[in-house]
Amino acid sequence: MSDTRGEAVLDLAHVGKGFGGTVVLDDIDLTVPQGQFVALVGPSGAGKSTLLRLVNGMHLPDRGTVRTLGVDPAACSRRELRALRSRVGFVFQQFGLVGRLSALENVLMGALATLRWPRYGVMSYPRALRERAVHQLDRVGLADQRFQRCDTLSGGQQQRVAVARTLLQRPELILADEPVASLDPAASAMVLDILKRISVEDGISVVCSLHQVDLALSTADRVVALRSGRIVLDEPAAALSAERLHALYEKAGAHGDRH
Ligand SMILES: Nc1ncnc2c1ncn2[C@@H]1O[C@H](COP(=O)(O)OP(=O)(O)OP(=O)(O)O)[C@@H](O)[C@H]1O
Ligand SMILES: [Mg+2]
C-alpha cells in the first residue's frame, strides 16, 4: 500500500475542494516524481495552502483523488493518517519552535512521535537520536548553535532549526508552505538553498509554496502556478522567465482574485 518504487510520490487527479459553497481548488491534476523540487506560486487566495493540506490529509478532497507516497489520505484510518504524516515533512511560515528550548531539543522533538513516552531535556533522548539530531543541525549549518535557546536565534536560523527537526523524522516528501515569507532576502535564499540541497542529496521531493518569483526560478526544478484554484502554468523552471510569472500576479490583481 505504501510502496512508492516506480510510482510518483504525489499524484492528484481531478481534485476539487471547496469551503462553504466556495470552490477553492478546481480539477487539479498534479503528478510529482521522486526527487523533484516544485515551487507552487500564485496570488494570495489561489489555493496553495489548501493544496498542500490535501497532500497530507489535513483536508480531504470533495472530488477527485489524492495519492501521497502511494497512499490515499481519504481512505486512511486515523492511525494510517498519522503514519502517512510521519513520512511527510511539513515546514510552515511560522517555524513552530518552542522558544525557551535549545535548537537541539527542538530538533529532537521531531522524533517524539516515534518515542513511547514524553521526554524532558536533551539527555532524556536516546544517544543515537541525539547524534542524528546534531547531524541534521550540522546540515543546516547550525551545529555550533545547538545549545542556544531558539528565541535567541534569528528568523532564518529558526527556520533552519525547523527544517532540521523535519529531517529528523526522515521524511520521504517535504511540503513547505511559504517557508521564507517572514525572512529577509539573504535568509530566504539560504533556507531555500538548504531545502534544495536536501532534495538533491536525499532524493526527496519538495513541494514549496512561494511568493518570490525570483527564488522560485532559481531554486525549483519545476514551477506550478495556481490562480483562482486552477493550475494555469506548469513548466520546468529553466524554461520560464520572471516576466511570465510576474504577469500571473498582475493579472490576478486586475481581475480581482478572491482573497
Ligand atoms: N478552512 C477554511 N475554511 C474556509 N475557507 C478557507 C479555508 N481554508 C482556505 N479557505 C479559503 O480558500 C481560499 C484559498 O486559500 P489558501 O489559503 O489555500 O490560499 P493561498 O494560495 O495559500 O493564499 P496565501 O498566498 O495568502 O497563503 C481562500 O479564499 C481562503 O479564504
Ligand atoms: Mg497560503
Side-chain angles (χ1 to χ4, degrees):
M1 178 183 169
S2 62
D3 188 355
T4 57
R5 272 172 299 176
E7 192 177 352
V9 289
L10 186 58
D11 192 10
L12 277 67
H14 305 299
V15 166
K17 178 71 184 171
F19 295 104
T22 309
V23 176
V24 169
L25 290 174
D26 188 18
D27 203 24
I28 299 290
D29 285 316
L30 181 66
T31 302
V32 178
Q34 184 164 356
Q36 192 171 59
F37 196 118
V38 180
L40 196 58
V41 303
S44 190
K48 303 179 297 295
S49 298
T50 304
L51 192 154
L52 291 172
R53 291 196 186 111
L54 283 163
V55 171
N56 82 340
M58 283 158 81
H59 290 321
L60 296 178
D62 300 332
R63 280 173 300 283
T65 53
V66 174
R67 286 188 80 78
T68 305
L69 302 169
V71 178
D72 176 358
C76 282
S77 65
R78 277 184 178 205
R79 192 158 150 256
E80 287 166 338
L81 203 52
R82 264 202 308 277
L84 176 62
R85 286 190 188 142
S86 74
R87 301 169 62 201
V88 180
F90 213 128
V91 180
F92 300 91
Q93 177 182 345
Q94 305 84 357
F95 323 122
L97 303 174
V98 182
R100 68 190 159 74
L101 298 181
S102 67
L104 182 56
E105 191 160 3
N106 270 282
V107 173
L108 283 163
M109 288 171 81
L112 274 181
T114 66
L115 299 171
R116 254 191 247 148
W117 51 83
R119 307 280 162 158
Y120 302 100
V122 166
M123 295 311 284
S124 67
Y125 288 84
R127 181 165 162 200
L129 200 57
R130 294 201 309 265
E131 286 171 359
R132 276 183 47 217
V134 173
H135 172 65
Q136 297 305 347
L137 273 171
D138 194 30
R139 291 184 84 192
V140 301
L142 288 174
D144 289 346
Q145 282 86 357
R146 61 187 178 279
F147 297 122
Q148 198 170 322
R149 274 174 66 127
C150 275
D151 54 11
T152 67
L153 295 170
S154 71
Q157 289 172 327
Q158 290 189 44
Q159 190 59 296
R160 282 148 63 197
V161 172
V163 169
R165 180 186 54 190
T166 298
L167 291 177
L168 195 71
Q169 106 190 36
R170 292 194 171 118
E172 295 163 64
L173 164 68
I174 294 179
L175 308 175
D177 196 0
E178 297 194 38
V180 300
S182 53
L183 305 181
D184 70 28
S188 299
M190 189 177 215
V191 166
L192 285 178
D193 273 356
I194 286 168
L195 284 173
K196 172 73 176 185
R197 183 162 45 78
I198 287 159
S199 169
V200 171
E201 286 176 4
D202 297 359
I204 302 179
S205 306
V206 176
V207 184
C208 176
S209 74
L210 280 175
H211 276 299
Q212 300 87 336
V213 161
D214 52 332
L215 287 177
L217 289 177
S218 60
T219 312
D221 300 311
R222 171 181 176 192
V223 178
V224 172
L226 282 176
R227 208 172 71 205
S228 302
R230 302 193 76 116
I231 292 179
V232 291
L233 178 152
D234 181 354
E235 290 185 27
L240 269 170
S241 68
E243 289 71 30
R244 270 187 72 200
L245 283 184
H246 278 301
L248 278 169
Y249 285 82
E250 281 154 22
K251 277 188 206 145
H255 294 132
D257 262 41
R258 73 172 83 88
H259 217 286

